[in-house]
Amino acid sequence: MNGPISSASTQSADESRRRELGAFLRSRRERLTPAVTGIATGLRRRTPGLRREEVAMIAGVGTTWYTWLEQGRDVRPSVEVLTALCEALRLDAVEKRHLFILAGRQQPERRIAAPEKADGPLLHMLESLVLQPAYVVGRRWDVLAWNPAAAAVFGDYGLLEGDNRNIVHMVFTNPQHRHLLVDWEELAHVVLASFCAESAKYVGDPDFDRLIALMMRSSPEFRDWWPRRDVARRLTGVKHVRHPIAGMMAFEHMSLSIDDGSDIRLIVYTPLAEQNSIAKLRALLDAMPPERRSA
């Protein structure tokens, strides 16, 4: 009994998704005016927005085929056709993602190395994490912003410039940072495997290539481990720190993605009761000069 029921349920879900895909396409078509697409129209035009044949013509597909797509028939558009429809219907990034999800296709990612910065609500959140060391990293794991608690525990990122302020570079080549990490070898393996997995989106990017080449020259461990191409995705864990002033500390850490289409992430460390870490963090913050206690 489970087989037929499961099959019918899957078929029903597929039909519902196709109907929703058709409805979404129709809604996007009807909101467009012919003038936006450069199509000349007569005085008597009853159809709101574009006609189906007009969308099909702009996208380079058959009118009958496009009509079937709007009707929710099982025509299974390719990635190339979906991309052409996105352009024809003037869809923005959110709408494109929605269309590909409804069509059951993986949207091709085009990663552009645009300048990165942390601002607005993200900086406000960072500033509000008083007793939680936190920092913001970009697509290449460069530290873009940090709070006073992060500087108290991991050091002042403001003293580092360029590649020196990159997480991978710090883990593998910065002696002070390496000494902080009690379980350095285990953490370094995880950092490298996670970086390898995420860098796949940027294969051929000059900034990534330059960083990897620099690491190959600068770190024997990186040079030995990188060719293995190990990949991992670790969002949480416990990190033990050997602080030069406070001594042993323990933090639970988590990586939070920013849902804005970028690869910017917020990394947050929460001090644990272990090793009296909360009290030690308070003491470190109290000892900081007043001008450094504000992010």
Side-chain angles (χ1 to χ4, degrees):
M1 292 295 293
N2 289 341
I5 292 176
S6 176
S7 177
S9 177
T10 300
Q11 184 177 7
S12 176
D14 289 342
E15 290 174 354
S16 296
R17 188 167 64 177
R18 289 197 300 269
R19 287 196 299 270
E20 184 60 30
L21 171 63
F24 181 67
L25 286 170
R26 185 168 59 254
S27 72
R28 301 304 92 176
R29 170 173 63 83
E30 291 177 349
R31 74 174 183 175
L32 279 180
T33 61
V36 171
T37 59
I39 295 176
T41 61
L43 296 177
R44 296 182 179 180
R45 184 180 180 92
R46 298 177 181 176
T47 305
L50 296 182
R51 297 188 177 102
R52 286 172 175 167
E53 59 266 28
E54 291 169 340
V55 173
M57 178 189 67
I58 296 171
V61 300
T63 300
T64 300
W65 183 91
Y66 178 75
T67 300
W68 288 347
L69 190 60
E70 275 201 10
Q71 290 174 345
R73 298 196 190 186
D74 190 9
V75 292
R76 301 180 185 277
S78 67
V79 169
E80 291 76 16
V81 167
L82 289 172
T83 300
L85 289 173
C86 288
E87 295 176 358
L89 294 169
R90 306 292 201 272
L91 302 189
D92 63 24
V94 175
E95 292 169 327
K96 288 178 184 177
R97 181 175 181 271
H98 188 65
L99 179 64
F100 272 83
I101 290 174
L102 290 175
R105 298 288 188 181
Q106 180 68 39
Q107 184 178 357
E109 294 187 274
R110 185 176 65 175
R111 299 289 175 168
I112 301 175
E116 297 175 303
K117 64 176 181 178
D119 53 15
L122 183 56
L123 280 182
H124 298 156
M125 178 180 290
L126 190 65
E127 293 166 0
S128 70
L129 298 172
V130 178
L131 280 176
Q132 290 174 289
Y135 50 79
V136 177
V137 297
R139 59 180 175 270
R140 207 188 67 150
W141 295 22
D142 297 309
V143 178
L144 306 178
W146 58 94
N147 65 6
V153 174
F154 300 113
D156 188 356
Y157 295 103
L159 300 178
L160 305 175
E161 296 182 354
D163 295 327
N164 291 323
R165 202 188 288 177
N166 176 274
I167 294 296
V168 178
H169 192 279
M170 283 189 283
V171 168
F172 281 91
T173 69
N174 185 312
Q176 291 78 24
H177 195 80
R178 179 166 177 162
H179 182 74
L180 278 175
L181 306 177
V182 176
D183 305 311
W184 180 87
E185 185 166 346
E186 177 185 350
L187 287 170
H189 274 292
V190 172
V191 166
L192 187 59
S194 299
F195 177 75
C196 183
E198 294 192 16
S199 66
K201 294 176 288 189
Y202 291 98
V203 170
D205 183 288
D207 285 337
F208 274 80
D209 290 345
R210 184 178 57 77
L211 175 63
I212 293 168
L214 172 63
M215 297 306 303
M216 292 289 282
R217 296 192 304 268
S218 306
S219 168
E221 292 91 353
F222 187 99
R223 189 163 52 247
D224 290 342
W225 300 346
W226 181 256
R228 302 177 190 175
R229 296 302 193 274
D230 293 333
V231 292
R233 183 170 176 80
R234 184 175 176 180
L235 301 179
T236 62
V238 175
K239 181 175 290 186
H240 294 90
V241 171
R242 185 190 299 108
H243 195 275
I245 297 174
M248 298 296 293
M249 303 175 71
F251 297 88
E252 185 175 54
H253 64 88
M254 176 173 285
S255 173
L256 305 172
S257 298
I258 309 303
D259 191 15
D260 63 354
S262 72
D263 281 331
I264 290 178
R265 290 178 297 126
L266 175 66
I267 315 298
V268 181
Y269 292 82
T270 301
L272 302 177
E274 180 184 346
Q275 304 289 348
N276 202 24
S277 302
I278 300 173
K280 289 179 178 179
L281 178 58
R282 289 184 185 275
L284 288 173
L285 288 170
D286 289 342
M288 294 180 72
E291 64 272 14
R292 293 187 57 200
R293 293 181 198 170
S294 58

